[in-house]
């Protein structure tokens, strides 16, 4: 039998948000981190929905049953410019986790870990290049239950890490006529929670190319193609490092976004390119996300 505690640990390592990733794999590592990659230089309030599917073998033999983890996340997002160069962002997710295994179906719903961070613009507004760096905190608002993670009859996905973590995001964007290239990412420093458990530090990167098609009244529709990469260090408890829980995941990302007056709506789809999760015992299958922003 695969160690469900290790699967649960990995499920939280790849998702600090999103979608932010938030996945962490199982909750939002493969999700659409629209907060980091929105590219909007205006104040907004937003809402997103993300669906993620993972599979894993319940046993070690070749014909072992395959179990499914389904994660549905509804997220409230906001961005506000304090000055022309300084902005603050907030991300509040609510998760609906479900595991379907040979032993039955288990659900685990609730508030996830909220994130607050700020960004500082380093380049002039007139430049075709945009570079922002920042810092923030991921708050332990989602429930972490160590006992739940070790019981086969309970969902392996957790709602939160139980720890107060730091993050250091960056956003780069270059525009040439109707084409835009963006590179976004964040580095997360994880701390111990009340169970003396520490998730490994994590790196998230996103590279994206988009092409804006003009509509009436200066509105646009923008298809995009990109790659998301997530790398994470091993977890540890009481100073004992579990090397099996280090890993990575690379996904292709296909998106479509429309700017209509003060509204932005969009959809994107992620599919795996290359991954190594729990020594290939867990597999990311796909992710679908939709979002909308109101700019003010």
């Amino acid at each position: 039998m695969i160690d469900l505690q290790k699967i649960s640990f990995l499920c939280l390592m790849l998702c600090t948000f999103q979608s932010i990733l938030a996945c962490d794999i199982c909750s939002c590592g493969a999700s659409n981190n629209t907060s980091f990659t929105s590219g909007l230089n205006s104040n907004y309030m937003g809402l997103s929905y993300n669906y993620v599917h993972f599979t894993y073998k319940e046993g070690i033999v070749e014909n072992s049953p395959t179990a499914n983890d389904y994660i549905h996340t509804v997220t409230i997002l906001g961005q506000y410019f304090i000055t022309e160069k300084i902005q603050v962002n907030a991300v509040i997710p609510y998760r609906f986790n479900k595991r379907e295994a040979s032993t039955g179906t288990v659900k685990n719903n609730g508030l996830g870990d909220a994130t607050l961070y700020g960004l500082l613009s380093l380049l002039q507004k007139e430049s075709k290049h945009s570079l922002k760096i920042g810092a923030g905190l991921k708050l332990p608002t989602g429930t972490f239950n160590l006992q739940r993670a070790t019981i086969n009859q309970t969902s392996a996905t957790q709602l939160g890490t139980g720890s107060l973590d730091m993050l250091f995001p960056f956003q780069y964007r270059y525009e040439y006529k109707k084409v835009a290239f963006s590179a976004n990412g964040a580095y997360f420093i994880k701390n111990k929670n009340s169970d003396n458990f520490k998730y490994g530090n994590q790196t998230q990167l996103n590279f994206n190319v988009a092409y804006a098609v003009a509509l009436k009244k200066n509105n646009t529709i923008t298809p995009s193609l990109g790659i998301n990469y997530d790398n994470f260090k091993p977890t540890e408890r009481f100073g004992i490092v579990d090397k099996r829980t280090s890993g990575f995941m690379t996904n292709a990302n296909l998106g479509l976004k429309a700017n209509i007056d003060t509204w932005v709506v969009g959809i994107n789809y992620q599919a795996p390119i290359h991954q190594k999760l729990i020594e290939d015992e867990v597999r990311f299958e796909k992710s679908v996300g939709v979002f909308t922003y109101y700019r003010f």
Side-chain angles (χ1 to χ4, degrees):
M1 179 68 69
I2 293 176
D3 189 339
L4 293 188
Q5 183 175 357
K6 292 177 181 177
I7 295 176
S8 178
F9 293 163
L10 183 58
C11 284
L12 271 169
M13 284 185 51
L14 288 184
C15 174
T16 49
F17 290 58
Q18 51 3 43
S19 100
I20 158 180
L21 247 93
C23 64
D24 281 344
I25 285 185
C26 297
S27 298
C28 68
S31 65
N32 308 291
N33 197 336
T34 53
S35 178
F36 279 161
T37 61
S38 67
L40 295 180
N41 282 312
S42 60
N43 302 330
Y44 70 78
M45 289 292 297
L47 186 68
S48 70
Y49 163 77
N50 193 73
Y51 161 80
V52 185
H53 178 206
F54 285 85
T55 59
Y56 71 93
K57 282 190 175 182
E58 296 186 44
I60 60 175
V61 298
E62 185 176 348
N63 61 348
S64 298
T66 299
N68 294 274
D69 280 345
Y70 302 98
I71 297 88
H72 304 265
T73 305
V74 177
T75 305
I76 298 173
L77 309 102
Q79 175 174 286
Y80 184 77
F81 279 81
I82 299 175
T83 70
E84 188 177 272
K85 290 183 174 292
I86 300 175
Q87 67 187 75
V88 291
N89 292 68
V91 183
I92 306 174
Y94 193 92
R95 309 197 190 287
F96 303 86
N97 299 334
K98 182 173 70 170
R99 160 156 291 174
E100 293 181 352
S102 61
T103 54
T105 299
V106 179
K107 298 180 180 180
N108 185 21
N109 307 331
L111 183 67
D113 285 344
T115 303
L116 299 172
Y117 64 95
L119 289 168
L120 171 66
S121 179
L122 300 180
L123 299 178
Q124 297 296 324
K125 187 176 181 181
E126 295 78 13
S127 173
K128 293 182 179 180
H129 299 268
S130 171
L131 177 61
K132 300 177 182 180
I133 61 172
L137 294 173
K138 186 187 67 60
L139 309 176
T141 52
T143 302
F144 174 82
N145 188 313
L146 186 64
Q147 182 181 10
R148 174 183 294 137
T150 62
I151 300 176
N152 291 11
Q153 287 77 19
T154 308
S155 175
T157 57
Q158 294 278 4
L159 298 175
T161 65
S163 59
L164 179 65
D165 303 330
M166 294 180 292
L167 65 144
F168 300 93
F170 77 91
Q171 295 179 355
Y172 170 78
R173 183 179 177 89
Y174 172 73
E175 296 184 5
Y176 179 75
K177 296 183 179 180
K178 296 181 179 181
V179 178
F181 168 78
S182 61
N184 309 279
Y187 183 71
F188 300 85
I189 298 177
K190 309 294 181 66
N191 294 306
K192 293 180 182 179
N193 60 26
S194 59
D195 290 297
N196 205 34
F197 179 80
K198 179 183 180 299
Y199 289 94
N201 292 347
Q202 177 185 353
T203 302
Q204 290 183 341
L205 296 172
N206 168 269
F207 302 95
N208 197 69
V209 177
Y211 182 83
V213 180
L215 302 176
K216 294 181 179 180
K217 297 181 180 179
N218 295 321
N219 296 329
T220 60
I221 184 167
T222 307
S224 62
L225 180 65
I227 294 178
N228 297 340
Y229 175 75
D230 210 303
N231 180 281
F232 48 96
K233 301 299 182 181
T235 63
E236 61 179 87
R237 189 167 187 239
F238 296 116
I240 300 174
V241 177
D242 187 353
K243 294 182 179 180
R244 294 181 70 247
T245 58
S246 64
F248 67 90
M249 181 169 62
T250 304
N251 301 328
N253 184 26
L254 180 65
L256 185 66
K257 181 175 68 174
N259 292 269
I260 304 172
D261 297 326
T262 57
W263 289 93
V264 178
V265 295
I267 182 171
N268 57 37
Y269 174 81
Q270 288 191 43
I273 297 175
H274 188 40
Q275 59 183 298
K276 189 174 181 62
L277 310 175
I278 308 291
E279 297 184 344
D280 295 322
E281 295 173 356
V282 178
R283 287 196 57 81
F284 164 66
E285 299 295 338
K286 62 182 176 181
S287 172
V288 180
V290 295
F291 58 90
T292 183
Y293 303 133
Y294 173 73
R295 296 179 293 184
F296 60 93

